[in-house]
Amino acid sequence: MISVENLSKSFDGVDVLNNISEKIEPGEKVVIIGPSGSGKSTFLRCLNMLEVPTSGKIFFDDCEITSPETDIDKVRMRLGMVFQHFNLFANLSIEDNLTLAPVKLKLMTKDEAHEEALRLLERVGLPDKADAYPAQLSGGQKQRVAIARALMMKPEMMLFDEPTSALDPEMVGEVLEIMKELAEDGMTMVVVTHEMGFAREVATRVLFMDEGNIIEQGTPEEVFDHPQEERTKSFLSKVL
Amino acid sequence: MDSFKLGLYQTFVLDDNYQYFIKGLGVTLIVTIFACLLGLILGVVLAIIRSAYDQRQPGRKVSVILRILNAFAKVYITVIRGTPTMVQLLIMWFVVWASARSTDANLIRCAILSFGINSGAYVAEIIRSGIMSIDKGQMEAGRSLGLSYGTTMKNIIIPQAFKNVLPALGNELITLLKETSIVTVIGLKDLTKGAMIIQGKTFQAFVPYFAIAIIYLVMVMLLSWLLGKMERRLRESDKR
């Protein structure tokens, strides 16, 4: 579904990603773990070109999204993204947050979008918040709305950039619960997270990244229970 | 006391002198309103050009057009902010519009254009500061859904930026209203010119000048009240 070839990214001469190649197949739930500054968020953000790679190629199906000729907006419509800081549109009501993109991009009429928004808000457990504004919601509620907003576009794949890192501890569960349901429904997911429990339970594959490289990868059992690399072991000993 | 009464009589009643205030106020308002609109339009366009350039992605090529537009915007803002408004007005009327017949209509058009261009430079920097104050996650969220830069700007960033800079814009509008009094130098009969004419006719200074001072003050107070109302309405999405 996504294939990454020799991806490198540097900020002002500092290398953040070193020559990464990786393939993600449909239906996979890939969880990326690693210490902060390891490049995992940058890697994720490259997948929908929020960060422009310094070199290397990324293909989404057969489309080279790193090519300047590609209409990146068309690709992003098929790739949902959920951010650490929710990034709900502060000037719009919850319903408008959900309906803006599908209506503007002419995927749905206003009425269709309205119905779909209510359906998705129901699904994330916030049917009564359609008319509220983001500032009135708790962190957990915001993130559930953000997931619903991404789902409005009926994406083929979803990217999660530390979706629970900015949440109070008691709100982490409600967000992870929705992500698990998504996973069970067969959504292809790439998740950057520090929630090792979630990774173990949901991931079909775990990538451990450090200093811009994928150090080790495998099933959750392989990575968590039998890590091969020294750096993986030392990281896991600190977080588990 | 009698001299004050005489002043009142000569300023307002004699020869229907009050007409100078009413007609002058009309001119002042027309110039202010249209210059404000022109300034807003110019300001928003320039601000978008400047911030589009400033927020360009490192590693991505900036289009030649954007470079040229940005350079133009910078020169424009520098020149307009760096020269006195009165000088700009004099140049506009006596140099640029040198061949125009000095009818009231022409003078008003010239004043609107001159003040609009002047105001645009200040409004541009105000709006730009508003755009820069919006968390970049808002733009990223819009783009991640497949919305274009322009659509996200129009529906998400500008409305929030506008709300944040409304007090500063109000300031600019108040300044503009009062600064239009310098149109007297090109001979346009605005409110201030009206008072000057009456002084010339009647040798009264106290009443006509205090009268226009009060009229300006009342207009500014009305404007502040309107801006306050508008601000409260725009703050609706901030309620918790």
Side-chain angles (χ1 to χ4, degrees), chain A residues 45 49-50 52 73 76-77 79 81 83 87-92 100-101 104-105 133 135-136 149 153, chain B residues 57 60 135 137-138 140-148 151 154-156 159-160 236-240:
Chain A
R45 289 161 56 83
M49 294 290 281
L50 281 182
V52 181
D73 292 341
R76 284 172 176 157
M77 285 163 70
L79 268 170
M81 173 120 189
F83 298 87
N87 297 349
L88 293 184
F89 303 132
N91 58 322
L92 300 181
L100 178 74
K104 288 281 171 202
L105 296 167
Y133 280 93
Q136 295 166 296
R149 179 176 67 179
M153 301 296 292
Chain B
Q57 276 241 19
R60 214 169 225 198
D135 181 65
Q138 296 282 310
E140 286 184 349
R143 298 308 305 274
S144 79
L145 290 162
L147 295 170
S148 66
T151 309
K154 177 168 157 271
N155 292 284
I156 306 301
Q160 293 183 53
E236 185 157 350
S237 62
D238 291 350
K239 67 181 183 210
R240 275 156 208 280

Side-chain angles (χ1 to χ4, degrees), chain A residues 22-170:
Chain A
E22 190 55 60
K23 266 195 164 59
I24 294 158
E25 302 296 339
E28 274 200 294
K29 292 97 181 71
V30 177
V31 172
I32 306 174
I33 59 171
S36 56
S38 58
K40 52 195 194 306
S41 277
T42 307
F43 175 69
L44 190 80
R45 289 161 56 83
C46 280
L47 296 183
N48 70 352
M49 294 290 281
L50 281 182
E51 299 291 349
V52 181
T54 312
S55 65
K57 289 180 179 175
I58 302 169
F59 293 88
F60 184 58
D61 289 339
D62 288 329
C63 166
E64 190 201 331
I65 67 173
T66 36
S67 152
E69 275 90 60
T70 306
D71 182 358
I72 191 65
D73 292 341
K74 287 265 175 335
V75 178
R76 284 172 176 157
M77 285 163 70
R78 300 160 61 193
L79 268 170
M81 173 120 189
V82 175
F83 298 87
Q84 179 176 2
H85 295 289
F86 332 124
N87 297 349
L88 293 184
F89 303 132
N91 58 322
L92 300 181
S93 71
I94 299 307
E95 181 177 332
D96 291 343
N97 260 276
L98 267 64
T99 57
L100 178 74
V103 171
K104 288 281 171 202
L105 296 167
K106 305 212 181 338
L107 299 181
M108 297 179 195
T109 65
K110 272 192 176 160
D111 290 341
E112 286 166 356
H114 170 74
E115 304 243 316
E116 180 69 5
L118 293 186
R119 197 182 69 76
L120 281 171
L121 285 176
E122 184 88 45
R123 179 172 171 188
V124 298
L126 298 166
D128 53 336
K129 296 292 185 192
D131 297 325
Y133 280 93
Q136 295 166 296
L137 269 52
S138 73
Q141 291 173 329
K142 282 184 203 170
Q143 197 59 298
R144 281 144 68 193
V145 170
I147 293 171
R149 179 176 67 179
L151 288 174
M152 284 293 287
M153 301 296 292
K154 306 198 189 322
E156 295 159 42
M157 176 172 178
M158 285 187 63
L159 310 174
F160 292 85
D161 187 6
E162 305 202 26
T164 59
S165 298
L167 296 177
D168 289 337
E170 78 268 24

Side-chain angles (χ1 to χ4, degrees), chain B residues 108-170:
Chain B
I108 288 175
R109 282 190 208 118
C110 171
I112 288 171
L113 195 62
S114 193
F115 282 107
I117 290 173
N118 178 270
S119 187
Y122 292 92
V123 171
E125 289 298 275
I126 293 172
I127 303 258
R128 189 170 71 93
S129 77
I131 292 172
M132 294 310 217
S133 75
I134 305 301
D135 181 65
K136 73 181 189 358
Q138 296 282 310
M139 176 57 84
E140 286 184 349
R143 298 308 305 274
S144 79
L145 290 162
L147 295 170
S148 66
Y149 178 87
T151 309
T152 313
M153 211 54 176
K154 177 168 157 271
N155 292 284
I156 306 301
I157 310 294
I158 297 285
Q160 293 183 53
F162 190 76
K163 183 186 71 182
N164 288 354
V165 299
L166 196 61
L169 278 179

Side-chain angles (χ1 to χ4, degrees), chain B residues 66-86:
Chain B
L66 184 57
R67 263 176 210 281
I68 294 169
L69 287 173
N70 181 61
F72 168 78
K74 268 188 152 165
V75 171
Y76 170 81
I77 291 167
T78 308
V79 170
I80 295 298
R81 290 199 306 180
T83 52
T85 317
M86 195 194 280

Side-chain angles (χ1 to χ4, degrees), chain B residues 29-42:
Chain B
L29 285 176
I30 286 172
V31 172
T32 306
I33 290 166
F34 286 98
C36 168
L37 287 176
L38 180 62
L40 264 181
I41 295 165
L42 276 173

